[in-house]
Amino acid sequence: MPTQLQTAIDHLSRAQRVVVFTGAGVSAESGIPTFRDDLTGLWARFDPQRLATPEAFLADPELVWGWYEWRRARVGQVQPNPGHTAIAQLERHVPQVCVVTQNVDDLHERAGSTRVLHLHGSIQSPRCHDCARPMQIPLADLDQLGDGQRMAPPRCEDCDGPARPGVVWFGESLPEQAWQSAWPEVQKCDLLLSVGTSGAVYPAAQLPQLALEQGAVVVHVNPDPIAVSSERELSLVGRAGEILPRLMEGL
Ligand code: BJW
Ligand code: ZN
């Protein structure tokens, strides 16, 4: 009886088109906190309604901007981990690989993945809240940025509107191009590898189910076992930085 890991390796070695769908868990071992983990997740200490909605930004721009600048600085200081590297290496073994990430960091790109779609935007790309003009904002010193440090957002040269982070908040639409590109990738893939996501946030969370409905194999990688509903769905229990390199070694 093959192990789940060996079964996943067998499917991967036959796959022609793979989508790697990632969430905060893939960056956890780089030192970026997830959102919903009970003790270490960002939402354990911060209220999403006060930080990750357009209403929150309008109510208290200094609170929200300071929190995101702290996170932007943090992303700039950390490195891709073996999970990101293994995902990039998949391109050597599978003809077509597309990474569809909910993460706002750039660790997949820095690890060497060449096709990455960001469904929830990028923390590195602030823009004007009022006119959407991209803004170049030098990064403040992380040591001076406490995780709850208030900071006034810089103003736009064109319209004097406040800078906002280039991420997707609750109630906002996903970037059209990324979403419109991700959907056909998932429809056409023969295997979707879902790594480090709670599957709590829509519409991104539909993608593994869509892949299953289209006949693909879906492989979950998560320290929390994921409930599976189909013979074509596998749950590999463990951390991305451990499981993904073992998957690659088997190819
Ligand atoms: C490891 C690990 C290791 C740990 N290795 N794994 C009901 C039905 C359908 C939709 C809705 C609904 N009610 C409301 C909605 C809409 C809403 C939504 O989904 N809400 C849910 C809470 C229900 N969605 C939206 O608003 C979206 N827009 C939209 O729908 O537009 C249309 C619309 C417009 C107007 C009204 C209604 C609809 C936008 C969603 C934007 C999400 N934004 C955030 C914040 C981004 C900015 C920022 O970074 O601050 O995106 S929320 C946050 O969650 C972030 C993440 O990308 C996202 C997903 O989280 P993720 O990645 O799964 O992280 P965690 O922490 O949840 O899970 C980590 C996992 O890793 C865990 O499983 C761990 O076990 C695991 N792990 N260590 C591997 N080492
Ligand atoms: Zn502007």
Side-chain angles (χ1 to χ4, degrees):
M1 180 86 172
T3 62
Q4 294 269 297
L5 183 72
Q6 188 57 50
T7 307
I9 291 168
D10 292 344
H11 283 298
L12 253 188
S13 61
R14 289 193 296 268
Q16 298 293 308
R17 300 187 77 112
V18 170
V19 168
V20 186
F21 174 59
T22 63
V26 78
S27 295
E29 291 159 77
S30 292
I32 301 182
T34 63
F35 293 92
R36 296 176 182 79
D37 283 295
D38 286 350
L39 295 176
T40 55
L42 289 168
W43 295 161
R45 288 187 296 143
F46 302 100
D47 176 359
Q49 298 310 320
R50 287 187 63 215
L51 293 161
T53 66
E55 295 77 19
F57 180 71
L58 287 175
D60 195 343
E62 295 187 6
L63 174 78
V64 174
W65 181 254
W67 189 66
Y68 276 96
E69 282 298 90
W70 166 68
R71 287 181 48 208
R72 183 163 73 109
R74 181 91 195 119
V75 166
Q77 284 201 332
V78 303
Q79 300 301 326
N81 67 57
H84 297 105
T85 305
I87 290 168
Q89 287 171 348
L90 194 57
E91 294 184 20
R92 298 183 194 159
H93 302 279
V94 176
Q96 309 243 27
V97 177
C98 179
V99 177
V100 177
T101 188
Q102 299 166 86
N103 297 345
V104 299
D105 64 54
D106 60 352
L107 295 179
H108 286 303
E109 288 89 340
R110 285 202 261 148
S113 286
T114 57
R115 182 155 162 70
V116 185
L117 302 173
H118 284 269
L119 297 183
H120 293 162
S122 161
I123 203 163
Q124 317 281 7
S125 311
R127 64 174 188 271
C128 172
H129 173 270
D130 293 352
C131 75
R133 182 188 204 267
M135 292 171 73
Q136 304 285 339
I137 299 170
L139 203 49
D141 184 351
L142 184 59
D143 294 336
Q144 292 174 5
L145 278 172
D147 56 8
Q149 186 80 39
R150 304 174 71 82
M151 189 186 272
R155 312 300 300 194
C156 172
E157 280 175 25
D158 280 351
C159 75
D160 202 39
R164 61 154 286 175
V167 303
V168 181
W169 284 323
F170 287 115
E172 295 186 317
S173 299
L174 274 52
E176 177 126 359
Q177 205 179 348
W179 182 244
Q180 294 298 337
S181 302
W183 192 263
E185 290 288 349
V186 173
Q187 280 184 314
K188 283 183 293 188
C189 75
D190 33 32
L191 188 146
L192 182 142
L193 190 57
S194 175
V195 184
T197 179
S198 60
V201 173
Y202 288 83
Q206 295 171 9
L207 295 179
Q209 188 59 35
L210 172 68
L212 265 186
E213 287 164 8
Q214 299 297 315
V217 170
V218 172
V219 179
H220 302 273
V221 177
N222 201 303
D224 285 347
I226 303 288
V228 298
S229 61
S230 154
E231 280 180 356
R232 280 183 285 103
E233 204 175 7
L234 305 172
S235 169
L236 304 182
V237 180
R239 303 193 319 175
E242 292 163 3
I243 299 278
L244 295 176
R246 287 172 64 196
L247 268 180
M248 293 311 123
E249 280 162 21
L251 290 179

